Amino acid sequence: MKNIFKLWVLVFSALFISLVISGCGAAATAIEKRDLVVQTKMSDSIFLEPVSSQKQIVYVKVRNTTDKDIEIEDQIKRAFESKGFKVVSNPNEAYFMIQANVLQVGKTDATDSDSALKSGFGGGLLGAGVSMATGGSGNNIGIGAAIGAVAGLLADTMVKDIYYSMVTDVEIRQRPAINEKVVQSEENYSDQGTSSTVSQNVNTNDVQWKIYRTRVISTANQVNLQFEEAKEELSKGIAKSLSGLL
């Protein structure tokens, strides 16, 4: 009887201590991440030639190959118009061309976002996102550890540090100056199944566009962040970043 009483004392003591510790950690996260923070980064810097106001004409085309309902093309067009650019629907009339593909949108963490950014245009995407923490073998968990895990789980359920990221590959084109001659050489590789690769070499003289490529990643972070809350801010970050190129 006395041993059972001691066991219950141990259980409640461990539970109380774990709740206090977990609660403090959750409270600290809630305070530190209470405000929405959005960051937009570009994998490669791009410097375009300045042009006169008569040539500030841009064609914009944005594709979304994700499973999320995201429409940022109009937002990007408005961002260019706010800077005095004329946005046209015919690329033949444009002096600049912005083509973008939204490749991936979803929950992630800071490490995955940095990795996808460093991969650059056409590189690897985000991983599986925030990984779940796992303890040791269930056969070796003591009572105190089990109670601590339960308390930590309760705190994590109430307070979550959430990241959402949007990965976009971007191609920017600018028409050469009148007396400027541009020669383009490009090598493309594509996998065909698991056993072969197709290589394509393209050499073009007197091309109509100078081509630049980069990757843009916008990341939103806040405690208990919901995707609908993050989506608009992620789109704003991409639009502001692209309009800043010209």
Side-chain angles (χ1 to χ4, degrees):
M1 201 61 185
K2 189 175 292 185
N3 290 334
I4 294 176
F5 177 75
K6 289 181 178 179
L7 178 62
W8 279 109
V9 170
L10 174 62
V11 168
F12 283 112
S13 298
L15 179 61
F16 176 76
I17 294 172
S18 297
L19 285 172
V20 170
I21 295 174
S22 301
C24 290
T29 300
I31 294 172
E32 182 182 355
K33 301 296 183 75
R34 65 185 182 276
D35 297 324
L36 178 62
V37 176
V38 180
Q39 293 184 331
T40 303
K41 299 179 181 179
M42 190 172 292
S43 63
D44 299 281
S45 296
I46 294 176
F47 299 94
L48 302 175
E49 298 295 330
V51 298
S52 63
S53 58
Q54 290 80 9
K55 292 183 177 180
Q56 290 183 349
I57 306 170
V58 60
Y59 169 85
V60 177
K61 182 64 178 178
V62 180
R63 294 173 175 84
N64 175 20
T65 55
T66 74
D67 59 350
K68 300 292 190 298
D69 183 18
I70 293 176
E71 174 54 61
I72 63 173
E73 183 172 299
D74 290 341
Q75 200 165 15
I76 294 173
K77 289 178 178 179
R78 289 194 297 270
F80 278 115
E81 288 172 341
S82 68
K83 293 194 171 186
F85 278 80
K86 179 183 178 181
V87 179
V88 295
S89 57
N90 184 354
N92 294 327
E93 300 174 3
Y95 195 81
F96 295 95
M97 184 187 299
I98 305 292
Q99 296 187 86
N101 182 18
V102 182
L103 297 169
Q104 192 170 19
V105 182
K107 191 178 293 186
T108 182
D109 59 26
T111 301
D112 274 347
S113 296
D114 288 340
S115 178
L117 184 70
K118 291 176 182 177
S119 296
F121 182 96
L125 299 178
L126 302 174
V130 181
S131 60
M132 295 182 63
T134 57
S137 170
N139 295 328
N140 297 322
I141 296 178
I143 294 175
I147 293 171
V150 172
L153 180 61
L154 291 172
D156 289 341
T157 300
M158 294 183 291
V159 179
K160 295 181 180 180
D161 185 10
I162 302 296
Y163 287 82
Y164 282 101
S165 291
M166 181 183 295
V167 182
T168 307
D169 277 354
V170 182
E171 181 177 276
I172 302 99
R173 298 189 176 205
Q174 179 179 17
R175 292 197 184 277
I178 296 176
N179 297 323
E180 186 177 12
K181 183 178 180 180
V182 179
V183 178
Q184 179 180 315
S185 178
E186 184 175 352
E187 294 185 6
N188 297 315
Y189 299 90
S190 60
D191 292 331
Q192 302 294 312
T194 58
S195 59
S196 63
T197 301
V198 174
S199 173
Q200 176 178 297
N201 296 316
V202 179
N203 290 289
T204 307
N205 294 322
D206 300 328
V207 296
Q208 296 183 354
W209 300 94
K210 292 187 287 185
I211 301 174
Y212 307 87
R213 289 169 177 166
T214 188
R215 168 169 287 182
V216 180
I217 295 186
S218 191
T219 303
N221 175 227
Q222 188 181 27
V223 64
N224 295 341
L225 180 63
Q226 299 297 316
F227 176 69
E228 290 302 319
E229 299 172 330
K231 182 170 69 171
E232 184 177 353
E233 295 303 320
L234 292 174
S235 299
K236 286 180 180 178
I238 297 292
K240 185 175 181 180
S241 179
L242 294 185
S243 65
L245 287 170
L246 307 189

